[in-house]
Amino acid sequence: MPESDPIITMAQLNPTVGNITDNVRVLRDTYREALSGEAILVVTPQFSLTGAPLRDLAYCPDLHAAVQAALEHLARLTRGTKTALLVGGPFAEDGVVHNGAFLLKDGAVTIAARHEWDERSDMQGRDAVGLVDLDTCKVGVLLGGAVNRPDAASDLVDRGAQVLVAMDASQFRSRRIESRVRDVAMNRVADNCVPLLYVNLVGGQDEVVYDGGSFCMDGQGRMVQKLPQFEECVADWDAGAPFCPEGEPAFPDSMEEMWRAMTTALRDYVHKSGFTDVMVGLSGGIDSALVAAVAADALGAEHVHAFRLPGQYTSDLSNSSAQEMADIWGFSLETVAISGVVDAVASSLSGIFPDGLKKLTRENMQARARGYIFMTISNENNWLHLATGNKSEGATGYATLYGDMCGVYNPIKDVWKTTVFSLAKWRNANKPADAKGPEGIVIPVEIIERPPSAELSPGQLDSDSLPAYPILDGVLEEIIEHHTAEKDIVAKGFDPAVVTRVQRLLKNTEYKRRQACPGLAMTTSAFIFRSLPIVNKFSPEMVQAIKEMPTD
């Protein structure tokens, strides 16, 4: 370490994609606050200038011009000061777009690290590192996924780096923060015996959420500072400060992580889009109850508007459960019957179908009637309508296009049905610190315990059309998350007929998933990251059929 112990400010920020004006204001205020202390450097996350993910916006020349103007503005703040600033964003050079880390010091802008743009990669290239000399301390910069490379850190230390700083935009995945600390940071420190500061982006953007969770370690691998997940936070690292008294870092419960990921993503989606209120169809079932709870925890009950749309087969238990849910949380609940809409559509089609409509068509009409009413109310009140379909339904196509798939955002799009139940039980026993809802039993027990049903025909249950959810989710996880072959899934104890059926459902319903609204991705197997061909004739049975084909 240098002769005097350096102080570095870590700024865990939540920028909005494309809103460079406001992002610069936040960076400016953060930097000015650091000037009142003794920091030699303020480190911000990757993409702190522009927000992330940028998608094709990264190729926009006008965006590059705005980034350049922002860099020049912020650089002027550093004139005559002892404090430098590290920020991140894209830039173009010789016709090639790069992701960059910029050092602003003494009024000048220097590219500290860069990587040729490819948002599908994790920016691990050899040029995604750099060494900056702050006069009193040499700092090694690791941009994006470069922190995962042992050689990147070691090369910087060999070049004289006394401190390593990682500027990242790592998306939330369950238990990922534990992996960052134990599998990445501790190994980098153990190899090089220098402090490591990891500064991550935080906040929701479209279908992803960044969880923050920034931290710093001393040269012995001891945790010195831990910043919270899912919150903006600014903190100083002092090389002379003692390590955390609790020693070994504690990691959050996976259910709490998921809950906070959902509330953060929804809150930012609503507010960054310029809205304040949402609406949800409260059917009395578990999925809509969970979405309503997430929304109320994220936004406050006064910004959540629930609607009960009973049909011909809606049970009294569903109606009473929806009312109980609304009473517990304190959000409004209005009732709009759909029978008149369904009958009107059927009557208008009687000349084309004089013998009446098929059972499945009548079922889908009910869902579409609800979708039409929901979107009409949404338009009239300028509220964002939340969809409530879970990942199990999305995988099997157990949803009606332009009906219960209607919505502008879906907080549980990447949540298995079995996990929906687990999250509901967890929230009944726990209240996260930033939740705006009440404590205690907030999702009625009868909603959790009743057999799931779409209630579109007499006595209908989900199990009439799908395998039991624990079995269904087990098969789907093997197919989607682990890419397990059908014969190997069967070898794990699943019924061959069930496996074949689930494979078929998954293959045949891709067209629905392509038309689904955006929703939070919490796993690498989320449907926004993977897709099947819509026209797809493949089946595992072809393997044997090909083997048996004649050769003459």
Side-chain angles (χ1 to χ4, degrees):
M1 292 300 301
E3 294 181 3
S4 60
D5 294 325
I7 296 175
I8 297 177
T9 297
M10 301 185 299
Q12 180 174 286
L13 303 177
N14 181 1
T16 298
V17 165
N19 194 352
I20 300 177
T21 304
D22 281 356
N23 296 342
V24 167
R25 291 193 183 102
V26 172
L27 289 165
R28 182 188 61 196
D29 294 346
T30 302
Y31 178 77
R32 285 174 172 168
E33 182 67 25
L35 287 180
S36 62
E38 299 296 322
I40 63 169
L41 177 66
V42 179
V43 182
T44 67
Q46 188 179 200
F47 303 115
S48 54
L49 285 169
T50 60
L54 286 172
R55 314 291 187 201
D56 284 354
L57 186 60
Y59 298 100
C60 176
D62 290 333
L63 179 81
H64 300 156
V67 168
Q68 184 60 38
L71 290 170
E72 293 170 358
H73 172 82
L74 292 169
R76 287 193 290 270
L77 301 178
T78 68
R79 290 174 181 168
T81 76
K82 60 179 175 51
T83 306
L85 174 63
L86 270 172
V87 296
F91 68 99
E93 185 176 80
D94 298 328
V96 178
V97 177
H98 297 267
N99 170 41
F102 304 94
L103 177 70
L104 313 181
K105 181 176 181 284
D106 297 329
V109 179
T110 304
I111 299 173
R114 66 169 79 193
H115 190 282
E116 187 173 339
W117 181 263
D118 183 358
E119 197 164 44
R120 294 168 299 178
S121 77
D122 55 5
M123 310 297 178
Q124 291 194 35
R126 296 191 64 82
D127 54 351
V129 300
L131 185 67
V132 297
D133 192 341
L134 301 179
D135 301 327
T136 59
C137 181
K138 290 184 178 180
V139 176
V141 179
L142 298 157
L143 181 62
V147 69
N148 298 312
R149 284 178 35 221
D151 65 305
S154 297
D155 288 349
L156 287 171
V157 173
D158 289 343
R159 292 164 55 191
Q162 298 159 296
V163 179
L164 297 172
V165 297
M167 300 170 61
D168 208 355
S170 179
Q171 299 173 13
F172 167 76
R173 300 287 181 270
S174 182
R175 314 305 298 179
R176 178 172 277 186
I177 189 171
E178 184 173 354
S179 176
R180 290 183 197 132
V181 173
R182 288 183 170 158
D183 301 335
V184 178
M186 285 184 172
N187 288 333
R188 298 298 86 80
V189 172
D191 291 342
N192 300 285
C193 300
V194 298
L196 170 67
L197 284 67
Y198 175 88
V199 185
N200 193 29
L201 207 65
V202 70
Q205 175 62 40
D206 294 349
E207 294 162 309
V208 304
V209 64
Y210 303 93
D211 64 323
S214 306
F215 58 87
C216 53
M217 290 182 175
D218 66 12
Q220 299 179 52
R222 299 175 299 190
M223 190 69 73
V224 176
Q225 183 83 269
K226 292 185 296 184
L227 276 61
Q229 284 183 288
F230 306 107
E231 298 175 28
E232 281 193 306
C233 185
V234 178
D236 288 339
W237 168 74
D238 185 343
F243 62 91
C244 290
E246 61 264 34
E248 181 73 14
F251 299 104
D253 176 89
S254 61
M255 290 288 108
E256 180 179 4
E257 275 193 311
M258 292 181 69
W259 193 273
R260 296 196 67 194
M262 290 188 295
T263 55
T264 300
L266 177 59
R267 183 187 307 116
D268 280 354
Y269 188 89
V270 172
H271 292 165
K272 289 181 179 181
S273 298
F275 292 83
T276 59
D277 290 37
V278 298
M279 56 175 287
V280 60
L282 202 60
S283 67
I286 186 67
D287 296 319
S288 63
L290 188 72
V291 169
V294 168
D297 263 356
L299 305 169
E302 67 274 19
H303 297 291
V304 179
H305 308 274
F307 290 85
R308 180 173 50 188
L309 272 60
Q312 181 180 357
Y313 306 109
T314 301
S315 67
D316 291 340
L317 177 59
S318 292
N319 286 325
S320 62
S321 296
Q323 186 63 61
E324 184 181 357
M325 179 81 185
D327 292 343
I328 290 172
W329 288 85
F331 47 66
S332 63
L333 177 64
E334 301 289 342
T335 300
V336 181
I338 66 169
S339 298
V341 176
V342 173
D343 291 342
V345 173
S347 176
S348 68
L349 294 172
S350 60
I352 302 175
F353 304 107
D355 296 330
L357 299 169
K358 298 175 184 177
K359 176 176 178 292
L360 179 61
T361 304
R362 291 284 301 193
E363 290 181 0
N364 287 335
M365 281 176 59
Q366 295 171 67
R368 292 192 178 109
R370 291 186 173 107
Y372 178 82
I373 292 170
F374 285 143
M375 297 312 296
T376 301
I377 296 171
S378 173
N379 290 163
E380 185 68 14
N381 291 295
N382 205 34
W383 297 334
L384 294 183
H385 176 48
L386 302 181
T388 60
N390 59 68
K391 189 172 185 176
S392 308
E393 294 173 349
T396 56
Y398 195 65
T400 302
L401 275 176
Y402 326 120
D404 50 332
M405 290 180 67
C406 280
V408 298
Y409 192 79
N410 183 352
I412 65 169
K413 184 176 181 178
D414 196 27
V415 181
W416 299 115
K417 183 77 168 190
T418 48
T419 308
V420 167
F421 284 103
S422 297
L423 283 165
K425 294 174 183 176
W426 179 87
R427 183 58 181 88
N428 277 349
N430 302 273
K431 179 187 175 183
D434 60 345
K436 296 181 181 294
E439 294 181 316
I441 303 298
V442 294
I443 298 178
V445 175
E446 61 266 24
I447 291 179
I448 298 173
E449 292 182 346
R450 66 181 301 196
S453 170
E455 294 191 323
L456 299 176
S457 60
Q460 183 184 43
L461 296 175
D462 289 8
S463 55
D464 298 337
S465 304
L466 297 172
Y469 281 113
I471 296 172
L472 175 64
D473 287 355
V475 174
L476 287 170
E477 286 185 37
E478 291 294 336
I479 298 171
I480 296 172
E481 296 186 2
H482 306 302
H483 308 289
T484 308
E486 185 169 310
K487 63 180 179 58
D488 296 325
I489 301 175
V490 172
K492 294 187 176 187
F494 292 99
D495 185 325
V498 170
V499 176
T500 299
R501 182 180 172 210
V502 172
Q503 288 268 27
R504 185 180 68 253
L505 288 170
L506 179 64
K507 180 184 74 172
N508 291 344
T509 55
E510 178 66 22
Y511 73 99
K512 288 189 177 182
R513 291 186 288 276
R514 298 280 186 94
Q515 300 179 68
C517 70
L520 172 60
M522 292 193 283
T523 68
T524 55
S525 66
F527 290 126
I528 70 165
F529 300 130
R530 66 183 303 279
S531 64
L532 296 169
I534 295 176
V535 179
N536 176 13
K537 296 298 184 181
F538 175 76
S539 67
E541 290 81 3
M542 288 182 179
V543 176
Q544 187 60 34
I546 293 170
K547 291 179 179 180
E548 295 175 356
M549 288 175 65
T551 56
D552 52 8

